[in-house]
Amino acid sequence: MELSGGLIKQFQPSKRVVVLTGAGISAESGIPTFRGEDGLWRRYRVEELATPYAFQTNPKLVWEWYDWRRGIIAKAEPNPGHLAIAEMERMFPHFSLITQNVDGLHRRAGNNKIIEIHGNLWQLRCVKEGTVKEDYRVPLPEIPPKCGCGALLRPHVVWFGESLNKEDLVFSYRLIGKCDLLLVVGTSAVVQPVASFPLMAKRQGAFVVEVNKNPTPISSMVDTFLRGPAGEILPALLGQIKEHWGK
Ligand code: BV8
C-alpha cells in the first residue's frame, strides 16, 4: 500500500504525536467491537450493560459479560496494528497513547506511555473500600466476585453515566491541546467526551489522520482518512515513515 509522500512527511521525529484508539485496533486480535456486526452479547448492547444501573440491578449478568470478554482477551494476542503503535512509541520522543479499550493489549504489545481512559477490565475494584487489584483469572471462580470485606467487586472501568478519571482527562486534554499530529485508529467516534478529541486537536492546528475500516462522523473533518484494517495500514504507514527517515 503506497501512502502519499505528503502524509509521510507529516511524521517527522520532532513531532508531538498522540495516538487515540478504540475497539477497532483489537478487532484483528479476535476481540469483538461494540457497534459493529459482532457488537452484541446475548442481544444486549454495550450501552445496556456498561452502566452502574445494570450492575446494581444485575451484577451477575454484567459480570458474565465481563468474564466472557476476559476469556476472549486472555486467548488473544496483540496484532500488527498494536505492534506498529508500540514501535511508534520507541521512534517518536514525544509520543502518547490514549486508548478507550479496556483489554490491556497495548501494554502487552509494548506501549508504556498509555492513558487507559476507560479503565482496564483486568483490574477489579471493591465497591465499598474502593481498593483496586489486578486479577487475571479466567474464568473467575465466583460470579459476581467479592472482596475479602464481603462487598462486591466491579470492573475498574468507566461505565456510561460515570465520569472519567479526572487526572486522565486533564492529561488527555493537555496532550490533545498541544499535539502536532493525532492518529485516530479504530473508533466509531460516538462516545463522549473522547469523541470530541479529534475535533479539539484539529481546531488547535494538529494534523489529524484517521485509520478505520469504515467512514465515521469525523472522517469528513480529518486531514487524511486511511480506509482499511489497522493491522495492514499501520505497519505500511510505519514502514514508509522509516524509509523516509532513512533517506
Ligand atoms: C461522561 C466501558 C460525564 C468499559 C465504555 C455528550 C453528548 C452525548 C452523550 C454524552 C455526552 N457526555 C456524556 C454522554 C453520555 C455517554 C456517551 O457518550 N454516550 C454515547 C453512546 C452517546 N458518555 C459517558 O457516559 C461518559 N461519561 O461523559 O461523564 C457525564 C456523566 C453523567 C452524565 C453525562 C456526562 C463515559 C463513557 C465511557 C463508557 N464506557 N466502556 C468497557 O466495558 O468497555 S465505552 C465503550 O465504547 C468502550 O470503552 C469503547 O472503547 C467505546 C467507544 O467504542 P469504540 O472503541 O469506538 O468501538 P466501536 O465498536 O463503537 O467502533 C469500532 C470502530 O472500529 C468502528 O468504527 C469500526 O469501523 C472500526 N473497525 C473495526 N475493525 C477495524 C476497525 N478499524 C480499523 N481496523 C479494523 N480491523
Side-chain angles (χ1 to χ4, degrees), residues 61-73:
L61 176 73
V62 172
W63 264 115
E64 283 169 353
W65 178 49
Y66 278 97
D67 203 39
W68 172 74
R69 290 170 68 189
R70 287 161 54 104
I72 293 174
I73 296 163

Side-chain angles (χ1 to χ4, degrees), residues 100-121:
Q100 299 171 89
N101 299 342
V102 298
D103 57 31
L105 283 183
H106 283 303
R107 202 170 300 281
R108 282 179 52 197
N111 278 105
N112 296 299
K113 297 178 181 172
I114 310 175
I115 299 174
E116 292 179 317
I117 201 159
H118 289 162
N120 183 314
L121 57 58

